[in-house]
Amino acid sequence: TFRNGVTVTATNMKMTCESLEVIAKRTGDPAATFGKQENFKSMVATGNVRIVQSDREATCERAEVFPGDDKVVLSGSPKVRSTDGQYQASGPKMELLRGERRARIVSDGGERPRITLPALKDLGYEKEKEKKKAPAPGATEPAPAPADAPPPITVPIPPAK
């Protein structure tokens, strides 16, 4: 168990937290005071957890690392974001999957997952106004919407950079 400003550095990852509990496999003489520590089974980081790996960052209050399952489970207001600000995701619980460069949001039915992505790029829409076609002989105009109908939803798309 490690406390008070813990930092863990791995090959391509850095994790900081307030407290860290490591569960490792012990080998060697069982009567010895200290055995040889082998591969660790799991780690539980708590308190202001921050994990930085390459171009992404995860923050939460609790991170459980399971190397045998190749995943990290984040809880306590978890957020995962790209360091360039291109995306951000949050939810009640998240799983980071090793080697897959993805995060899975696990919903518990309470807090709703939230994902923020960059603005859509120009999709090639021409801004020319369509010429209003005259109705064919015998055709009728569609009936107007009732006065109490809600207005259509309009989502503004920012211009591409």
Side-chain angles (χ1 to χ4, degrees), residues 72-89:
V72 178
V73 177
L74 309 175
S75 57
S77 302
K79 290 182 179 68
V80 175
R81 69 174 194 91
S82 63
T83 55
D84 63 2
Q86 289 295 305
Y87 67 85
Q88 180 173 315

Side-chain angles (χ1 to χ4, degrees), residues 32-44:
T33 303
F34 294 103
K36 182 178 177 185
Q37 298 301 314
E38 296 283 332
N39 297 339
F40 69 90
K41 291 182 179 182
S42 66
M43 291 193 310
V44 178

